[in-house]
Amino acid sequence: MRIDVVTIFPEYFGPASGAGGPLGVSLIGKAAARGDVNFHIHDLRQWATDVHHTVDDTPFGGGPGMVMKADVWGAALDAILSDKSRSPANPSTPPAAAASTSCSSAVEPSTGSSAADALATPRSIGDSATPSASPARPSTAPSAAEPPSLSPPSAGSAAPSTSAVPSVTGARLVVPTPSGVPFSQERALAYAGERHLVFACGRYEGIDARVVEDTRARGMAVDEVSIGDYVLAGGEAAVVVIVEAVCRLLPGVLGNERSASDDSFGGGGGSMHGLLEGPVYTRPRAWRGHEVPPVLLSGDHAAISRWQRDEALRRTAERRPDLIRRLAAGDGLDARDRAVLIQAGFPVDGESMAH
Ligand code: ADE
């Protein structure tokens, strides 16, 4: 899998060697070292054309903060998608970790091929309408003579499901934003099946909505995705979260293939599917007076599995009752599950669960 990240803070992802930073350590670092995943980190400012490398401007319609410029993002995406080295016929195959994570200072403009050309054709957005030769931080909103922004971006609500929209480019653009669709284990699984993910890290008030609109119009799959109901200073931390969730699902990345399907949320349909994982223990058997639950020492695998599911049910009911309601609605609870939940004080009959 190839992963491109476009950001105004490339240093966030560590040195170009991949020796440090969140993408260079642990399972992901090893996957990169093996060449299972190739990271390409790009500084958005290299596509800014003015002397100040301006990437933002004041919002049409007024309001606080700044909006990232469509023309700069358009040029960045065109260049990345027309990079011939990303084609499977001409794969970039760095031999070692040091090359697996590259921090590009320039991706050449397209002379491109095939589907990439569709995105690399001359652009119409923003090129003439964007205030030019302006100070790095103009203090006034664009004038009424310029094209108005008709409405705020429609945010994540219009984002297609990950499987429904094939991308003519063979790549998927992921834009982390608090107004995106929720990132989930299912979405992580879907992304793990992609050949090429491109992450666009927004800062300030976000990216001009026409970038997503235009990229979709050119046939590329685009998701605007939120990692939770809180607002970060930018998309970089969200990219690290998403990349980690996706890369651990790549074949061979987890040592124990079973572990992914038995995770909390267990996307693979294992016994923990739809549940939070229960407590886990290791040696010593007794620690500061706390004993490991005896069933785990019994060697009775059926009893252990049942106990683990019971614990997962109790924990999920306490911490995420919404997940239990979803399981119940989808016929995901058997009679024993229901008995465990009732015993734990969680109502599982239809009427009371609705609330
Ligand atoms: N950028 C800022 N906040 C975010 C969030 N909650 N999820 C994804 N991207 C973000």
Side-chain angles (χ1 to χ4, degrees), residues 8-137:
I8 59 168
F9 296 117
E11 66 274 23
Y12 189 98
F13 297 93
S17 68
L23 305 180
V25 297
S26 189
L27 294 175
I28 300 179
K30 285 185 189 148
R34 284 195 304 270
D36 290 348
V37 56
N38 297 308
F39 292 109
H40 299 258
I41 313 298
H42 310 272
D43 185 348
L44 177 69
R45 288 192 196 277
Q46 72 189 277
W47 286 286
T49 50
D50 68 321
V51 68
H52 300 290
H53 300 289
T54 308
V55 295
D56 60 343
D57 202 344
T58 51
F60 278 118
M66 304 290 277
V67 174
M68 296 187 100
K69 288 160 62 64
D71 54 345
V72 180
W73 274 106
L77 295 175
D78 285 354
I80 289 165
L81 290 162
S82 57
D83 173 10
K84 280 190 182 147
S85 71
R86 74 184 198 89
S87 148
N90 182 18
S92 77
T93 48
S100 295
T101 305
S102 67
C103 181
S104 83
S105 55
V107 173
E108 293 302 320
S110 170
T111 51
S113 62
S114 66
D117 282 341
L119 286 146
T121 50
R123 305 179 59 79
S124 57
I125 55 169
D127 294 336
S128 59
T130 309
S132 58
S134 56
R137 289 293 169 92

Side-chain angles (χ1 to χ4, degrees), residues 113-339:
S113 62
S114 66
D117 282 341
L119 286 146
T121 50
R123 305 179 59 79
S124 57
I125 55 169
D127 294 336
S128 59
T130 309
S132 58
S134 56
R137 289 293 169 92
S139 58
T140 54
S143 78
E146 294 170 274
S149 150
L150 298 176
S151 57
S154 60
S157 57
S161 86
T162 53
S163 54
V165 181
S167 185
V168 297
T169 64
R172 178 173 295 274
L173 176 65
V174 181
V175 185
T177 163
S179 48
V181 295
F183 182 66
S184 62
Q185 189 66 17
E186 264 130 39
R187 196 167 281 268
L189 263 171
Y191 288 177
E194 297 278 354
R195 192 166 54 79
H196 184 190
L197 295 173
V198 181
F199 288 94
C201 297
R203 282 266 156 178
Y204 317 118
E205 293 304 304
I207 301 171
D208 186 312
R210 291 169 294 179
V211 174
V212 163
E213 194 184 310
D214 179 74
T215 308
R216 271 198 194 123
R218 288 162 184 257
M220 184 171 176
V222 184
D223 296 336
E224 292 175 273
V225 172
S226 167
I227 62 160
D229 292 343
Y230 39 79
V231 180
L232 304 166
E236 286 78 6
V239 167
V240 171
V241 168
I242 295 170
V243 165
E244 185 154 330
V246 170
C247 286
R248 67 187 286 282
L249 298 174
L250 295 176
V253 171
L254 281 184
N256 179 351
E257 295 290 346
R258 182 185 147 270
S259 14
S261 63
D262 271 0
D263 283 338
S264 286
F265 312 112
S271 64
M272 293 304 163
H273 182 70
L275 292 173
L276 304 184
E277 197 177 350
V280 294
Y281 304 87
T282 187
R283 283 177 285 217
R285 289 165 64 151
W287 177 76
R288 295 186 178 178
H290 304 277
E291 299 278 342
V292 169
V295 66
L296 297 179
L297 311 173
S298 69
D300 180 343
H301 297 298
I304 292 170
S305 291
R306 186 62 250 181
W307 180 88
Q308 286 171 332
R309 182 163 176 88
D310 294 352
E311 288 297 311
L313 285 162
R314 289 187 196 104
R315 176 173 282 185
T316 309
E318 188 187 319
R319 298 179 183 179
R320 292 291 305 276
D322 57 308
L323 295 180
I324 297 287
R325 281 191 282 271
R326 195 188 300 170
L327 268 182
D331 220 18
L333 300 174
D334 63 18
R336 162 76 191 247
D337 292 339
R338 286 169 189 274

Side-chain angles (χ1 to χ4, degrees), residues 334-346:
D334 63 18
R336 162 76 191 247
D337 292 339
R338 286 169 189 274
V340 169
L341 289 167
I342 288 167
Q343 207 177 30
F346 191 83

